[in-house]
Amino acid sequence: MKLAMIGFVCLLPMMAQDVKIPASIEKLADKASEVVDVTLDASLLQLAAKFLPANDPDTAQVKRLVSGLKGVYVRSFQFDKPGEYQASDVESIRSQLRGPNWARIVGVRKLKSGEHSEVYLRTEGGSITGLAVIAAEPKELTIVNINGPIRPEDLQELGGHFGIPKLDGESGRKNDSGKKDE
Amino acid sequence: MDDFERQLMQAMSRTDPPGAFEAKVLARVAREADGRSGLWRWFSRPVTLRWASVALALVMVATGVTWQRERERERGEQALAKLELALKITSEKLQKIDREIPK
């Protein structure tokens, strides 16, 4: 019993780790016409933050945000024709986001166009420790996983700087009302 | 004393060098010393050699540090570009999702 407890305690940090990008998703790069593959672990993020000018007010906020992050992972695939990826590929990601710390805050499904987008937040001890976005369209699939304290509002505040498009209106706000499927 | 011992003693007996031997040796030493350039002679001095080794080591360390910094700068800039792209994509997707939520 004690051994099991020790094992569980040792496994806790691993359980709080990033969402794993399955091999089936990585293999989509072979079929895609355009691929964005960003993998930035904590050490690379710290290195990137070092090269942000500290005295520039535009980038100071980015620096502050980035310094708290542990990992940024983005996979975005654009395909020439629909049907290049399977629902099971997306499900392999989605199933990882059903963990106890993750909560889906937004879900938008458009039956006509076949688009299905979801935003998940991971909370631990009352604070946000991760953000995941799944944006599935017939000819495009984007998966974002940001490990660390980041809120959609943080990105909204960064709008207009650092290559991030300026968000209009109330964009980026946290939608606690949650699952809104069309 | 047999014949062998006599021959041995004769062979081992001290003989003076030819008269010009010393002059020949000194002349050769002088010739060789003149053959070396002034720079080589300066460089061959133990003190110079020591300082040259220290200087070489310093140059090697400085080169290594510069190379390492340059490499880190390249990695940092690449990471920054990737971060910018990742945040841009995330922001665009969030914005799109937000637009699609029925108000």
Short mmCIF file of all heavy atoms in Angstrom, two decimals, chain B residues 41-77:
data_model
loop_
_atom_site.label_atom_id
_atom_site.label_comp_id
_atom_site.label_asym_id
_atom_site.label_seq_id
_atom_site.Cartn_x
_atom_site.Cartn_y
_atom_site.Cartn_z
N ARG B 41 64.61 33.01 -32.49
CA ARG B 41 65.38 33.00 -31.24
C ARG B 41 64.55 33.58 -30.09
O ARG B 41 64.53 33.07 -28.99
CB ARG B 41 66.68 33.83 -31.43
CG ARG B 41 67.88 32.92 -31.67
CD ARG B 41 69.12 33.74 -31.78
NE ARG B 41 69.12 34.47 -33.05
CZ ARG B 41 69.89 35.51 -33.31
NH1 ARG B 41 70.71 35.96 -32.38
NH2 ARG B 41 69.85 36.09 -34.47
N TRP B 42 63.80 34.68 -30.46
CA TRP B 42 62.96 35.31 -29.43
C TRP B 42 61.84 34.34 -29.00
O TRP B 42 61.54 34.19 -27.83
CB TRP B 42 62.34 36.59 -30.01
CG TRP B 42 61.36 37.23 -29.09
CD1 TRP B 42 61.64 38.04 -28.04
CD2 TRP B 42 59.94 37.09 -29.11
NE1 TRP B 42 60.49 38.42 -27.40
CE2 TRP B 42 59.42 37.85 -28.04
CE3 TRP B 42 59.05 36.39 -29.93
CZ2 TRP B 42 58.06 37.94 -27.78
CZ3 TRP B 42 57.70 36.48 -29.66
CH2 TRP B 42 57.22 37.25 -28.60
N PHE B 43 61.32 33.64 -30.01
CA PHE B 43 60.21 32.74 -29.73
C PHE B 43 60.66 31.52 -28.95
O PHE B 43 59.89 30.92 -28.22
CB PHE B 43 59.57 32.31 -31.06
CG PHE B 43 58.15 31.87 -30.90
CD1 PHE B 43 57.14 32.80 -30.70
CD2 PHE B 43 57.81 30.53 -30.93
CE1 PHE B 43 55.84 32.41 -30.54
CE2 PHE B 43 56.51 30.12 -30.76
CZ PHE B 43 55.52 31.07 -30.57
N SER B 44 61.88 31.13 -29.13
CA SER B 44 62.39 29.92 -28.47
C SER B 44 62.70 30.15 -26.99
O SER B 44 62.93 29.19 -26.27
CB SER B 44 63.68 29.45 -29.16
OG SER B 44 63.45 29.31 -30.52
N ARG B 45 62.67 31.41 -26.59
CA ARG B 45 62.98 31.67 -25.17
C ARG B 45 61.86 31.08 -24.30
O ARG B 45 60.68 31.21 -24.64
CB ARG B 45 63.10 33.18 -24.93
CG ARG B 45 64.39 33.76 -25.48
CD ARG B 45 64.29 35.24 -25.62
NE ARG B 45 63.97 35.89 -24.35
CZ ARG B 45 63.56 37.14 -24.25
NH1 ARG B 45 63.43 37.87 -25.32
NH2 ARG B 45 63.29 37.65 -23.07
N PRO B 46 62.18 30.46 -23.20
CA PRO B 46 61.15 29.83 -22.35
C PRO B 46 60.05 30.78 -21.92
O PRO B 46 58.88 30.43 -21.92
CB PRO B 46 61.94 29.32 -21.16
CG PRO B 46 63.35 29.24 -21.63
CD PRO B 46 63.53 30.26 -22.69
N VAL B 47 60.43 32.02 -21.59
CA VAL B 47 59.42 32.99 -21.12
C VAL B 47 58.43 33.29 -22.25
O VAL B 47 57.21 33.32 -22.06
CB VAL B 47 60.11 34.28 -20.63
CG1 VAL B 47 59.09 35.34 -20.27
CG2 VAL B 47 61.01 33.97 -19.47
N THR B 48 58.94 33.50 -23.44
CA THR B 48 58.10 33.81 -24.59
C THR B 48 57.16 32.64 -24.88
O THR B 48 55.97 32.83 -25.16
CB THR B 48 58.97 34.08 -25.83
OG1 THR B 48 60.02 34.93 -25.46
CG2 THR B 48 58.15 34.68 -26.95
N LEU B 49 57.73 31.44 -24.80
CA LEU B 49 56.92 30.24 -25.06
C LEU B 49 55.76 30.15 -24.08
O LEU B 49 54.63 29.84 -24.45
CB LEU B 49 57.79 28.99 -24.94
CG LEU B 49 58.42 28.49 -26.23
CD1 LEU B 49 59.31 27.29 -25.93
CD2 LEU B 49 57.35 28.09 -27.24
N ARG B 50 56.05 30.46 -22.82
CA ARG B 50 55.02 30.39 -21.79
C ARG B 50 53.89 31.37 -22.11
O ARG B 50 52.73 31.06 -22.09
CB ARG B 50 55.64 30.71 -20.43
CG ARG B 50 54.90 30.08 -19.27
CD ARG B 50 55.64 30.29 -17.98
NE ARG B 50 56.99 29.76 -18.02
CZ ARG B 50 58.03 30.30 -17.40
NH1 ARG B 50 57.89 31.38 -16.69
NH2 ARG B 50 59.21 29.74 -17.47
N TRP B 51 54.30 32.63 -22.44
CA TRP B 51 53.29 33.65 -22.73
C TRP B 51 52.51 33.32 -24.00
O TRP B 51 51.31 33.58 -24.09
CB TRP B 51 53.94 35.03 -22.84
CG TRP B 51 54.21 35.61 -21.48
CD1 TRP B 51 55.40 35.81 -20.90
CD2 TRP B 51 53.23 36.01 -20.52
NE1 TRP B 51 55.26 36.32 -19.64
CE2 TRP B 51 53.92 36.45 -19.38
CE3 TRP B 51 51.83 36.04 -20.50
CZ2 TRP B 51 53.28 36.92 -18.24
CZ3 TRP B 51 51.19 36.51 -19.37
CH2 TRP B 51 51.92 36.94 -18.26
N ALA B 52 53.23 32.75 -24.96
CA ALA B 52 52.55 32.37 -26.21
C ALA B 52 51.50 31.31 -25.93
O ALA B 52 50.39 31.35 -26.49
CB ALA B 52 53.57 31.86 -27.21
N SER B 53 51.82 30.36 -25.07
CA SER B 53 50.85 29.30 -24.73
C SER B 53 49.62 29.90 -24.05
O SER B 53 48.48 29.52 -24.34
CB SER B 53 51.48 28.27 -23.78
OG SER B 53 52.68 27.82 -24.31
N VAL B 54 49.88 30.84 -23.12
CA VAL B 54 48.76 31.49 -22.41
C VAL B 54 47.88 32.25 -23.41
O VAL B 54 46.66 32.16 -23.38
CB VAL B 54 49.30 32.44 -21.32
CG1 VAL B 54 48.19 33.30 -20.75
CG2 VAL B 54 49.98 31.64 -20.22
N ALA B 55 48.53 32.98 -24.31
CA ALA B 55 47.78 33.76 -25.30
C ALA B 55 46.94 32.84 -26.20
O ALA B 55 45.78 33.12 -26.48
CB ALA B 55 48.74 34.59 -26.14
N LEU B 56 47.55 31.74 -26.62
CA LEU B 56 46.84 30.78 -27.48
C LEU B 56 45.63 30.21 -26.76
O LEU B 56 44.54 30.12 -27.33
CB LEU B 56 47.79 29.65 -27.89
CG LEU B 56 47.21 28.63 -28.86
CD1 LEU B 56 46.92 29.28 -30.21
CD2 LEU B 56 48.15 27.44 -29.05
N ALA B 57 45.82 29.88 -25.48
CA ALA B 57 44.71 29.34 -24.68
C ALA B 57 43.59 30.37 -24.56
O ALA B 57 42.40 30.03 -24.70
CB ALA B 57 45.20 28.92 -23.31
N LEU B 58 43.97 31.63 -24.33
CA LEU B 58 42.97 32.69 -24.21
C LEU B 58 42.19 32.87 -25.51
O LEU B 58 40.97 33.04 -25.49
CB LEU B 58 43.65 34.01 -23.81
CG LEU B 58 44.07 34.12 -22.35
CD1 LEU B 58 44.83 35.43 -22.10
CD2 LEU B 58 42.86 34.05 -21.42
N VAL B 59 42.92 32.83 -26.62
CA VAL B 59 42.26 32.99 -27.92
C VAL B 59 41.27 31.83 -28.15
O VAL B 59 40.14 32.03 -28.61
CB VAL B 59 43.31 33.04 -29.05
CG1 VAL B 59 42.66 32.87 -30.42
CG2 VAL B 59 44.07 34.36 -29.00
N MET B 60 41.72 30.62 -27.78
CA MET B 60 40.84 29.45 -27.96
C MET B 60 39.59 29.55 -27.09
O MET B 60 38.48 29.27 -27.54
CB MET B 60 41.60 28.16 -27.64
CG MET B 60 42.55 27.76 -28.75
SD MET B 60 43.62 26.42 -28.30
CE MET B 60 42.50 25.05 -28.40
N VAL B 61 39.75 29.99 -25.85
CA VAL B 61 38.60 30.14 -24.94
C VAL B 61 37.65 31.21 -25.49
O VAL B 61 36.43 31.02 -25.54
CB VAL B 61 39.06 30.49 -23.51
CG1 VAL B 61 37.90 30.95 -22.66
CG2 VAL B 61 39.75 29.29 -22.88
N ALA B 62 38.23 32.34 -25.92
CA ALA B 62 37.41 33.45 -26.44
C ALA B 62 36.63 33.00 -27.67
O ALA B 62 35.44 33.31 -27.82
CB ALA B 62 38.30 34.64 -26.77
N THR B 63 37.30 32.23 -28.54
CA THR B 63 36.63 31.72 -29.75
C THR B 63 35.48 30.79 -29.36
O THR B 63 34.38 30.87 -29.93
CB THR B 63 37.64 30.96 -30.64
OG1 THR B 63 38.76 31.81 -30.86
CG2 THR B 63 37.03 30.58 -31.97
N GLY B 64 35.74 29.92 -28.40
CA GLY B 64 34.71 28.98 -27.94
C GLY B 64 33.51 29.69 -27.35
O GLY B 64 32.37 29.37 -27.67
N VAL B 65 33.78 30.70 -26.53
CA VAL B 65 32.68 31.46 -25.89
C VAL B 65 31.87 32.19 -26.95
O VAL B 65 30.64 32.19 -26.93
CB VAL B 65 33.25 32.44 -24.83
CG1 VAL B 65 32.20 33.43 -24.38
CG2 VAL B 65 33.80 31.66 -23.64
N THR B 66 32.56 32.80 -27.91
CA THR B 66 31.87 33.54 -28.97
C THR B 66 30.99 32.59 -29.79
O THR B 66 29.84 32.90 -30.10
CB THR B 66 32.91 34.22 -29.90
OG1 THR B 66 33.80 34.97 -29.09
CG2 THR B 66 32.24 35.13 -30.91
N TRP B 67 31.54 31.43 -30.11
CA TRP B 67 30.79 30.44 -30.91
C TRP B 67 29.55 29.98 -30.15
O TRP B 67 28.47 29.89 -30.70
CB TRP B 67 31.72 29.26 -31.21
CG TRP B 67 31.04 28.19 -32.02
CD1 TRP B 67 30.84 28.18 -33.37
CD2 TRP B 67 30.47 26.98 -31.51
NE1 TRP B 67 30.18 27.04 -33.73
CE2 TRP B 67 29.94 26.28 -32.62
CE3 TRP B 67 30.36 26.42 -30.24
CZ2 TRP B 67 29.31 25.06 -32.49
CZ3 TRP B 67 29.72 25.19 -30.12
CH2 TRP B 67 29.21 24.53 -31.22
N GLN B 68 29.74 29.74 -28.85
CA GLN B 68 28.64 29.27 -28.01
C GLN B 68 27.54 30.32 -27.93
O GLN B 68 26.35 30.02 -28.04
CB GLN B 68 29.19 28.95 -26.61
CG GLN B 68 28.15 28.46 -25.61
CD GLN B 68 27.60 27.10 -25.98
OE1 GLN B 68 28.27 26.36 -26.69
NE2 GLN B 68 26.41 26.80 -25.56
N ARG B 69 27.97 31.61 -27.78
CA ARG B 69 26.99 32.70 -27.69
C ARG B 69 26.23 32.85 -29.00
O ARG B 69 25.02 33.10 -29.01
CB ARG B 69 27.70 34.01 -27.34
CG ARG B 69 28.00 34.10 -25.87
CD ARG B 69 28.34 35.50 -25.49
NE ARG B 69 28.73 35.54 -24.09
CZ ARG B 69 29.47 36.46 -23.57
NH1 ARG B 69 29.91 37.45 -24.30
NH2 ARG B 69 29.77 36.44 -22.28
N GLU B 70 26.96 32.72 -30.08
CA GLU B 70 26.34 32.87 -31.40
C GLU B 70 25.30 31.77 -31.63
O GLU B 70 24.21 32.01 -32.12
CB GLU B 70 27.44 32.81 -32.48
CG GLU B 70 26.97 33.04 -33.90
CD GLU B 70 26.33 34.39 -34.12
OE1 GLU B 70 26.61 35.35 -33.36
OE2 GLU B 70 25.50 34.50 -35.04
N ARG B 71 25.69 30.57 -31.20
CA ARG B 71 24.78 29.42 -31.33
C ARG B 71 23.53 29.62 -30.48
O ARG B 71 22.42 29.34 -30.91
CB ARG B 71 25.53 28.17 -30.88
CG ARG B 71 25.03 26.91 -31.49
CD ARG B 71 25.93 25.76 -31.11
NE ARG B 71 25.15 24.70 -30.49
CZ ARG B 71 24.34 23.89 -31.15
NH1 ARG B 71 24.21 24.01 -32.45
NH2 ARG B 71 23.67 22.94 -30.53
N GLU B 72 23.71 30.13 -29.29
CA GLU B 72 22.59 30.37 -28.39
C GLU B 72 21.69 31.47 -28.95
O GLU B 72 20.46 31.39 -28.86
CB GLU B 72 23.10 30.76 -27.01
CG GLU B 72 22.00 30.75 -25.97
CD GLU B 72 22.53 30.89 -24.58
OE1 GLU B 72 23.08 29.92 -24.08
OE2 GLU B 72 22.39 31.98 -23.99
N ARG B 73 22.33 32.49 -29.56
CA ARG B 73 21.53 33.57 -30.15
C ARG B 73 20.66 33.03 -31.29
O ARG B 73 19.48 33.34 -31.40
CB ARG B 73 22.47 34.67 -30.66
CG ARG B 73 21.75 35.94 -31.10
CD ARG B 73 22.72 36.92 -31.71
NE ARG B 73 23.36 36.40 -32.89
CZ ARG B 73 22.77 36.32 -34.10
NH1 ARG B 73 21.54 36.76 -34.25
NH2 ARG B 73 23.40 35.82 -35.13
N GLU B 74 21.26 32.17 -32.12
CA GLU B 74 20.51 31.58 -33.23
C GLU B 74 19.34 30.74 -32.72
O GLU B 74 18.22 30.85 -33.22
CB GLU B 74 21.43 30.67 -34.07
CG GLU B 74 22.21 31.42 -35.11
CD GLU B 74 23.21 30.54 -35.84
OE1 GLU B 74 23.01 29.31 -35.84
OE2 GLU B 74 24.18 31.09 -36.37
N ARG B 75 19.61 29.92 -31.71
CA ARG B 75 18.56 29.07 -31.13
C ARG B 75 17.46 29.94 -30.52
O ARG B 75 16.27 29.65 -30.66
CB ARG B 75 19.14 28.15 -30.04
CG ARG B 75 19.82 26.92 -30.61
CD ARG B 75 20.31 26.02 -29.50
NE ARG B 75 19.23 25.41 -28.78
CZ ARG B 75 19.20 25.24 -27.45
NH1 ARG B 75 20.19 25.68 -26.70
NH2 ARG B 75 18.19 24.67 -26.87
N GLY B 76 17.86 31.00 -29.84
CA GLY B 76 16.90 31.92 -29.21
C GLY B 76 16.02 32.59 -30.23
O GLY B 76 14.80 32.69 -30.06
N GLU B 77 16.63 33.05 -31.33
CA GLU B 77 15.86 33.72 -32.37
C GLU B 77 14.90 32.76 -33.06
O GLU B 77 13.77 33.12 -33.39
CB GLU B 77 16.81 34.37 -33.39
CG GLU B 77 17.38 35.67 -32.85
CD GLU B 77 18.41 36.30 -33.76
OE1 GLU B 77 18.73 35.70 -34.80
OE2 GLU B 77 18.91 37.38 -33.41
#
